[in-house]
Amino acid sequence: MSRSEQYEIGFLIFDGFPMACLTSLIEPLRAANEIAQQKAFAWHVVTESGNRVTSSANVRFEADRQLSDHEGLDLLFLLSSPNGQFTDPTSGNGALRNLARHGTHLGGISGGVFPLVRSGVMEGHPVSVHWCYEAAFRAEFPRFDARSEVIVTSQRRHTVSGAAAAFDLALHLIEDHLNGEIAHEVACWFQHPMMRGQGVMQRIPSSLSPDTGDALPDLVERAVAYLGEHIEFPISISDLAGLVGVSTRQIERAFKQATGKSPTHYYRDMRMKAARQMVMYSKDRIVDIAAAVGYSTAAPMVAHYKAAFGMTPSEDRQRINRFRVEDNAPLPSA
C-alpha cells in the first residue's frame, strides 16, 4: 500500500458477538494511525440491515453502514457467537459471496467463523477454530479443514481463533501496509509480548495440580493428544498406554501426578466438554451428541453430563436459550 492509500476494513457484527474481538482489532489500527501520523486504516461497524446490535457483554453498538453498502471495503471481518446467523440468509450470504467474487478479503474472528463458513465463501480454505468451539464446528462442518492454529490465512481469507490472536493479526496488517517498525511500536504501546503468526498453535488450558507448572509432562501431553483424536470412538487406557509406550500403571501414575485425575476420568471430562460444545453451539439431537462423543446410547452420556455440569444436556440447552440475545433463534431442547 502506498502512503496515500487507505485500507478500509469492515466489522460485520451479529447479536451476541464478543466485544473484545472488535476492540482487539480496532485499537492497534488506531494506534498505528497515530504513530504513522496518517489515516492508513479506516474501519466501519457493519450490520446486516444497519440495525443496532448488542454484544455478549450487553453493550449496544450502532452501525455505520449496512451489509448491502459494502463498496470500497478491502477486508470484511465477521464477529459473532457460533450461533450468529443472518435474518435473511439468502441476502446476507449472497452479499458475502459477491464480495468474495470481487476480490474483497474476508475473515472470521472466534465464533464469527461459523456464519462465514455457512455463507459458502470458505470452500477449499482451512479455518482457525477456537478450541472451545472445535467439537461444535466439526459436528456442523465435518468436511472442513479445522485447525488449531491461532491465525490461518489462505488466498484472501483470514480466520482467527480469538481476541488475543485478533491483536496479532492487526499487527500483521500494520506490518504489511505500513512497516515492521510501526507494528513493533504498536505492540510496545499495548505491552503485547510477541506477534504470533501462522503455524502457532492455540494453548489449551489444562487442570493441573499446583506443583506441575503450566505445561503437561511430555508423556501425558502425548496421551492427551491421542485421547483427543478418539472422542467419537473411545480407546481403552491399556491401548493408550501401548500407544505412548508405557505400562497401564505408569500412565495411571503420570496422569494422577500431572492432573490430579486418573486417565479414565480425564478422558471422560474431555468427552463431556466436547458434548457441551455441541449442546451449546449446535442443533444436534442429544442422542446424536452422545454418539459423537463415543456413547452407544444417550442414557450414560446424560448421567455423566449431569455429574460434570449439574444438569442434563436438555436442561443445559434450555438454560442457555434463556440467555441468548433477542432474535437469535433458540436451539431445540431434545
Side-chain angles (χ1 to χ4, degrees), residues 81-252:
S81 73
N83 305 107
Q85 54 189 317
F86 290 113
T87 303
D88 182 351
T90 300
S91 176
N93 292 334
L96 294 184
R97 290 193 293 269
N98 184 56
L99 283 166
R101 283 194 298 271
H102 288 85
T104 301
H105 288 231
L106 297 173
I109 311 297
S110 189
V113 301
F114 282 76
L116 184 68
V117 172
R118 291 183 191 119
S119 73
V121 300
M122 294 300 292
E123 290 290 339
H125 297 277
V127 182
S128 171
V129 180
H130 193 293
W131 63 267
C132 74
Y133 299 145
E134 182 182 3
F137 185 90
R138 292 187 186 280
E140 185 173 352
F141 311 110
R143 295 187 300 103
F144 272 82
D145 181 6
R147 298 187 180 178
S148 297
E149 298 167 36
V150 295
I151 297 173
V152 174
T153 296
S154 168
Q155 297 176 339
R156 300 196 298 274
R157 301 291 185 274
H158 311 273
T159 53
V160 181
S161 60
F167 197 106
D168 293 315
L169 181 58
L171 293 177
H172 283 284
L173 291 172
I174 293 163
E175 183 178 49
D176 291 343
H177 297 286
L178 287 170
N179 59 61
E181 289 184 4
I182 292 177
H184 176 75
E185 184 68 15
V186 170
C188 290
W189 273 29
F190 291 93
Q191 298 185 13
H192 194 72
M194 61 180 292
M195 184 170 70
R196 297 173 298 176
Q198 294 197 82
V200 177
M201 307 303 288
Q202 297 175 48
R203 191 168 187 172
I204 302 175
S206 302
S207 298
L208 303 179
S209 55
D211 61 344
T212 59
D214 61 357
L216 291 170
D218 177 67
L219 168 62
V220 178
E221 186 174 0
R222 287 187 290 119
V224 168
Y226 279 119
L227 294 177
E229 294 169 359
H230 293 82
I231 295 293
E232 184 177 1
F233 302 105
I235 58 174
S236 69
I237 301 306
S238 59
D239 287 342
L240 175 65
L243 286 169
V244 295
V246 298
S247 69
T248 301
R249 185 176 179 182
Q250 284 176 296
I251 202 167
E252 292 273 0

